[in-house]
Amino acid sequence: MFFFCGFSGLIDFQNMLNKLLENKFKIFGAILIVLGLALVRSFELQLFYDPFLNYFQNDFNNLPYPQVETSKLFFGLFFRYFLNSALSLILIYFLFKDIDMLKFSAILYVLFLIVLLGLFFTILEFFPKASWLLFYVRRFIIQPILVLLFIPGFYYQLQNSKK
């Protein structure tokens, strides 16, 4: 019985290796796109105007918001969201090769952009003591968090549709 279980495990491992080799282009591409997302993060100080980068690194609970140039901040956040979203959409298409999924994701990204930027500037303008709320809304704008939700969700959806 032990030999049989070991042999079965070996076959499963070999099947997994074969699938990895078959999908090596997809894996390599996905790694490159993730590296692109990492580069956006690494060069954030050079690429984007965002006085909140330093503000949120300190004990910001009792500090007033930093002085900001609103239009410059808007375009900095918009550009960063755009770069992260574009790379995320490329990753989603690269992994799933489904144009409908890509369109759905793009619509969600646009809706989230409108809602998140609206919330961000509303909090910034009208709620000077809501630094934690501003922190989390900003986090959704500047980090590719949505792709971390979309990929498992789409994978689950594909698995369920195959059944």
Side-chain angles (χ1 to χ4, degrees):
M1 183 67 175
F2 175 73
F3 177 77
F4 181 72
C5 290
F7 185 69
S8 174
L10 181 62
I11 290 173
D12 289 342
F13 183 71
Q14 189 173 13
N15 286 338
M16 184 181 72
L17 283 178
N18 286 339
K19 284 185 179 183
L20 282 174
L21 289 175
E22 289 171 10
N23 293 313
K24 62 184 169 192
F25 179 69
K26 188 182 279 192
I27 293 168
F28 181 70
I31 290 170
L32 285 178
I33 296 165
V34 170
L35 284 175
L37 290 167
L39 285 172
V40 170
R41 171 68 188 242
S42 335
F43 291 105
E44 65 188 355
L45 290 173
Q46 294 85 1
L47 293 173
F48 314 108
Y49 169 76
D50 189 354
F52 289 98
L53 286 170
N54 292 328
Y55 174 77
F56 285 122
Q57 288 177 353
N58 299 317
D59 183 23
F60 58 88
N61 276 339
N62 300 319
L63 295 176
Y65 296 146
Q67 292 291 347
V68 299
E69 295 179 43
T70 306
S71 61
K72 207 172 172 183
L73 179 60
F74 172 82
F75 286 111
L77 292 173
F78 179 83
F79 182 52
R80 185 161 183 181
Y81 187 88
F82 175 78
L83 284 177
N84 284 331
S85 298
L87 288 168
S88 298
L89 289 169
I90 292 167
L91 181 61
I92 288 169
Y93 182 75
F94 202 78
L95 292 175
F96 298 105
K97 301 283 192 227
D98 186 335
I99 202 74
D100 290 331
M101 203 177 285
L102 181 67
K103 288 177 186 176
F104 178 71
S105 301
I107 290 168
L108 285 176
Y109 272 106
V110 169
L111 290 175
F112 275 107
L113 172 67
I114 293 166
V115 169
L116 290 170
L117 281 178
L119 275 172
F120 181 85
F121 285 102
T122 300
I123 295 165
L124 185 63
E125 188 66 30
F126 299 108
F127 299 95
K129 301 287 184 196
S131 56
W132 275 107
L133 185 57
L134 188 70
F135 173 82
Y136 286 112
V137 170
R138 182 180 159 277
R139 179 69 55 207
F140 271 92
I141 295 170
I142 68 168
Q143 300 298 330
I145 296 170
L146 296 175
V147 77
L148 296 176
L149 300 172
F150 290 170
I151 289 175
F154 291 150
Y155 180 77
Y156 178 77
Q157 181 68 30
L158 284 176
Q159 294 304 311
N160 275 350
S161 67
K162 289 180 183 178
K163 290 180 182 179

